[in-house]
Amino acid sequence: MSVLHFQPINGKSQLLVRTPFPHKKCGRKPFIFRPQAVSSKTQRIMESVSASGEVGGAGGVYSYQALKRLDQLWSNICSPQQVVQEPQQVVSTIPSLFTSSDLADKAEGSYDVIVCGGTLGIFIATALCARGLRVAVVERNVLKGREQEWNISRKELLELVEVGVLEEDDIERVTSAKFNPNRCGFERKGDIWVNNILNLGVSPARLIEIVKKRFISLGGVVFEGLSVCCINVYDDAAVLKLSGDKILSSRLIIDAMGNFSPIVKQIRRGRKPDGVCLVVGTCARGFENNSLSDVIFSSSTVKKVGDSKAQYFWEAFPAGSGPLDRTTYMFTYVEPQPGSPKLEELLEEYWDLMPEYQGVSLDNLEILRVIYGIFPTYRESPLPAVFSRVLQFGDASGIQSPVSFGGFGSLTRHLGRLSAGIHEAISGDYLDSYNLSLLNPYMPNLSASWLFQRAMSAKQQSNDVPEDFINELLYANFSCMQRLGDPVLRPFLQDVVQFGPLSKTLGLVMLTRPQILPSIFKQVGIPVLLDWFRHFLMLGYYTFLGTFADPIVRPFLNTLPSKTSFQWKRRLEAWKYGSGLDYKL
């Protein structure tokens, strides 16, 4: 009979199978050992879970094969490439008129706006359609939302109502679960509880279905199952070539293809991201205690994972699919470099740590879905327009906070500003790269958030920083914000940094916890602090301009030439949104 046993080879567990073969002299069957790799716990779990119904967008795929592909992409980003590979040239500028070109007769449709990427692009498309523009959406998959719920606040859904994307009655239809209160906690240092922050579980499948129907009812057109091949920018139009030899023309193309948009790769010329948030998690059934949520929770200090170190954070909330169903995320912030942990390595850690964190045995859970994603962020964000008639939107624009994973909250916050600005740009034909860049301006509050991501990232080299420094720093900040009240705590939890609340928090931390200041310098480094201080000063400057200069300038906008008025409106918006003054309790 055959014998099975495990033996470590090169540090990895191998399954040795003892198999018979005929002996030359006596006909007896001795045995040889043929090593076969043992599947990981992640592979076994994921292959036992149905991966049907995968869709586009971050977190829209669940299969083990897709995980391996994403890990390979992540390894390529982390590799120490000496020569940056030139990305594919998706956008080309052709200094002539499209109406005089050979392609003019081949175009199957002409629009004011074409949105590439439908998962989040459908929101800006519907907002523009509601303003009377002719809009089309191109999606390489079927345009539908994933099953995994988003946890957001009611305020964010009301922002969709304000721009005409949803009716207020739709909020209840898309909300699967409600939960309060919500916890922020840091490794036995204490818990901080908040209400009505990220306390709704929203079904992306239902939400996007409703928005898609509204888009079509307003005259919008959806092209599904088509990929973007290239974009030719003429003097009078942007021409989109799709798979299947389909050609569409538009006055403006909006790139909503997410973090890994081929257009963004071309613009950034293959540059590595400055930071990355790695996320793994599950939606599982079998949680008896399932009424509360965690906005952010850390249950341990820095841990060793593979050849790297990581500080793990958790987020968890009830799922609307059943009373015992719960979504749990584990995430960490890293710099892309050789040895950075892979998603599969994080999932192996997740299976060990999640049961202790949630107080439940893994054997008692039914895994419904496994979720994973990488969210790259760049210091130079938002991304200004490089080409005329092409504008980045959502995650592709880099407008999301570097400490968040997923840009739905920032999308809703900026949707009104962007839809109004895009409509005005099209109406006035202000579609050159300079004027389009005014729609994605420098925002000091976004740049100031970079210090938080760096502070929450585990240092790979020993620098005499205590292992519990990150938890100590976060608890100090959150407890000080709690003492200062809702006007300070609530905007921060929704990724809105404001000068006054930030100044008060930092001042209180320095007064009450001066002993952690040396560790802050060691953790983030002097150059990063100096760069952050520049953005902090600009945050104060924009706050001053938004508070005092805006009321003086705004009454004169209607007296200015239309193009000048357009440009000044965008500057006023940059002051307002770049300082966080748009956020209202």
Side-chain angles (χ1 to χ4, degrees):
M1 60 181 291
S2 299
V3 178
L4 306 180
H5 70 282
F6 292 95
Q7 177 176 318
I9 297 177
N10 296 328
K12 295 186 178 180
S13 179
Q14 304 284 327
L15 176 65
L16 300 186
V17 184
R18 187 169 158 184
T19 57
F21 72 98
H23 196 277
K24 289 182 179 179
K25 292 185 178 179
C26 61
R28 295 182 61 189
K29 297 181 179 180
F31 295 89
I32 60 172
F33 291 95
R34 296 176 180 171
Q36 297 177 0
V38 177
S39 60
S40 65
K41 182 183 290 187
T42 296
Q43 182 177 355
R44 296 194 300 272
I45 290 175
M46 293 187 72
E47 289 180 347
S48 68
V49 177
S50 171
S52 62
E54 294 187 351
V55 298
V61 291
Y62 314 116
S63 68
Y64 182 71
Q65 291 74 23
L67 171 68
K68 299 300 288 185
R69 290 195 298 270
L70 191 56
D71 257 341
Q72 183 58 57
L73 173 63
W74 172 229
S75 296
N76 294 339
I77 293 174
C78 294
S79 64
Q81 294 179 350
Q82 299 300 320
V83 179
V84 177
Q85 185 177 1
E86 193 69 21
Q88 177 188 0
Q89 299 299 299
V90 181
V91 182
S92 301
T93 300
I94 301 176
S96 62
L97 295 176
F98 172 63
T99 51
S100 303
S101 71
D102 296 336
L103 291 177
D105 294 334
K106 298 179 181 179
E108 299 182 31
S110 179
Y111 302 90
D112 293 318
V113 180
I114 296 176
V115 180
C116 299
T119 305
L120 293 183
I122 190 65
F123 295 97
I124 185 67
T126 306
L128 293 173
C129 228
R131 291 179 177 271
L133 297 179
R134 293 173 293 116
V135 186
V137 171
V138 174
E139 169 58 44
R140 66 177 179 178
N141 300 296
V142 176
L143 179 49
K144 65 177 183 178
R146 59 190 174 99
E147 294 300 323
Q148 191 61 37
E149 292 168 3
W150 292 330
N151 61 320
I152 60 177
S153 303
R154 182 177 174 85
K155 177 182 182 297
E156 293 165 332
L157 293 178
L158 288 173
E159 288 165 344
L160 296 179
V161 174
E162 290 174 7
V163 295
V165 171
L166 288 181
E167 300 289 342
E168 191 159 358
D169 292 343
D170 293 330
I171 293 179
E172 293 300 321
R173 294 170 58 194
V174 302
T175 301
S176 302
K178 300 178 182 179
F179 33 87
N180 265 317
N182 312 294
R183 177 175 65 163
C184 307
F186 308 98
E187 202 212 3
R188 297 186 297 276
K189 298 184 181 300
D191 295 334
I192 295 165
W193 295 91
V194 296
N195 284 294
N196 301 322
I197 294 291
L198 302 177
N199 67 307
L200 301 182
V202 167
S203 166
R206 272 182 277 174
L207 175 60
I208 292 179
E209 179 186 8
I210 289 172
V211 176
K212 179 181 177 181
K213 287 181 179 178
R214 179 164 177 76
F215 173 68
I216 294 173
S217 71
L218 291 170
V221 179
V222 177
F223 295 96
E224 297 178 315
L226 296 172
S227 299
V228 174
C229 295
C230 67
I231 298 171
N232 292 331
V233 178
Y234 292 83
D235 293 340
D236 57 343
V239 178
L240 182 64
K241 294 183 180 179
L242 303 171
S243 55
D245 297 326
K246 185 179 287 290
I247 296 176
L248 304 174
S249 71
S250 177
R251 299 180 66 189
L252 174 69
I253 290 178
I254 295 179
D255 172 14
M257 292 184 284
N259 292 302
F260 298 103
S261 159
I263 303 175
V264 173
K265 289 180 182 178
Q266 177 181 346
I267 294 173
R268 296 199 185 273
R269 302 180 64 84
R271 174 189 156 189
K272 284 188 178 183
D274 297 300
V276 171
C277 181
L278 301 176
V279 184
V280 297
T282 60
C283 180
R285 179 166 295 159
F287 293 90
E288 297 293 339
N289 300 317
N290 194 34
S291 59
L292 306 178
S293 77
D294 285 341
V295 176
I296 181 171
F297 186 81
S298 174
S299 58
S300 63
T301 57
V302 173
K303 284 185 173 290
K304 183 80 172 175
V305 50
D307 298 325
S308 186
K309 295 179 181 177
Q311 173 70 58
Y312 296 136
F313 301 99
W314 298 90
E315 183 176 348
F317 54 94
S321 52
L324 302 183
D325 298 0
R326 191 168 181 81
T327 299
T328 310
Y329 293 116
M330 185 180 82
F331 58 99
T332 186
Y333 302 103
V334 299
E335 295 178 56
Q337 55 190 359
S340 293
K342 292 183 171 64
L343 290 170
E344 186 166 3
E345 291 177 320
L346 293 182
L347 277 167
E348 291 296 302
E349 292 276 300
Y350 176 88
W351 307 126
D352 293 336
L353 299 175
M354 188 271 284
E356 180 182 355
Y357 159 57
Q358 289 291 282
V360 64
S361 171
L362 195 62
D363 294 334
N364 294 334
L365 296 179
E366 176 190 354
I367 307 297
L368 304 177
R369 283 178 296 279
V370 180
I371 312 126
Y372 48 86
I374 64 177
F375 297 87
T377 47
Y378 295 84
R379 287 183 180 275
E380 296 177 9
S381 293
L383 186 63
V386 173
F387 306 101
S388 297
R389 301 187 181 274
V390 179
L391 177 69
Q392 272 62 48
F393 170 79
D395 290 356
S397 73
I399 206 167
Q400 69 274 19
S401 166
V403 295
S404 68
F405 51 91
F408 186 69
S410 62
L411 178 150
T412 61
R413 178 187 166 207
H414 293 278
L415 195 57
R417 172 183 72 84
L418 286 169
S419 59
I422 292 170
H423 179 263
E424 191 173 346
I426 289 175
S427 300
D429 201 28
Y430 314 133
L431 300 174
D432 58 282
S433 59
Y434 172 77
N435 282 297
L436 289 179
S437 289
L438 297 176
L439 294 165
N440 281 337
Y442 164 68
M443 293 190 175
N445 58 354
L446 184 65
S447 298
S449 298
W450 268 99
L451 184 71
F452 307 134
Q453 191 194 72
R454 181 59 64 90
M456 294 166 71
S457 303
K459 297 289 285 186
Q460 302 307 313
Q461 305 298 327
S462 176
N463 57 354
D464 300 323
V465 175
E467 289 290 306
D468 66 342
F469 162 74
I470 295 176
N471 288 326
E472 181 68 32
L473 176 64
L474 289 174
Y475 180 68
N477 276 280
F478 274 82
S479 57
C480 287
M481 285 189 285
Q482 186 183 42
R483 288 175 60 181
L484 292 168
D486 272 3
V488 173
L489 182 60
R490 294 178 73 86
F492 184 82
L493 287 174
Q494 294 184 272
D495 289 328
V496 179
V497 176
Q498 298 173 320
F499 182 75
L502 180 59
S503 301
K504 293 176 183 178
T505 301
L506 295 178
L508 190 56
V509 169
M510 286 188 287
L511 287 173
T512 58
R513 306 286 181 91
Q515 68 274 12
I516 69 173
L517 295 179
S519 294
I520 294 177
F521 283 85
K522 294 177 183 178
Q523 172 76 4
V524 303
I526 299 298
V528 173
L529 277 173
L530 291 176
D531 183 61
W532 172 83
F533 189 67
R534 174 172 63 90
H535 297 301
F536 177 72
L537 292 178
M538 290 301 294
L539 178 61
Y541 179 55
Y542 271 46
T543 302
F544 172 82
L545 292 174
T547 304
F548 299 105
D550 184 304
I552 296 173
V553 174
R554 192 169 293 276
F556 295 97
L557 291 179
N558 293 331
T559 66
L560 300 173
S562 59
K563 189 176 212 178
T564 306
S565 175
F566 168 83
Q567 293 172 347
W568 269 103
K569 284 179 184 177
R570 307 292 82 80
R571 293 188 183 103
L572 298 186
E573 289 171 351
W575 299 345
K576 181 179 180 179
Y577 284 79
S579 60
L581 293 177
D582 62 291
Y583 183 89
K584 305 297 181 185
L585 285 174

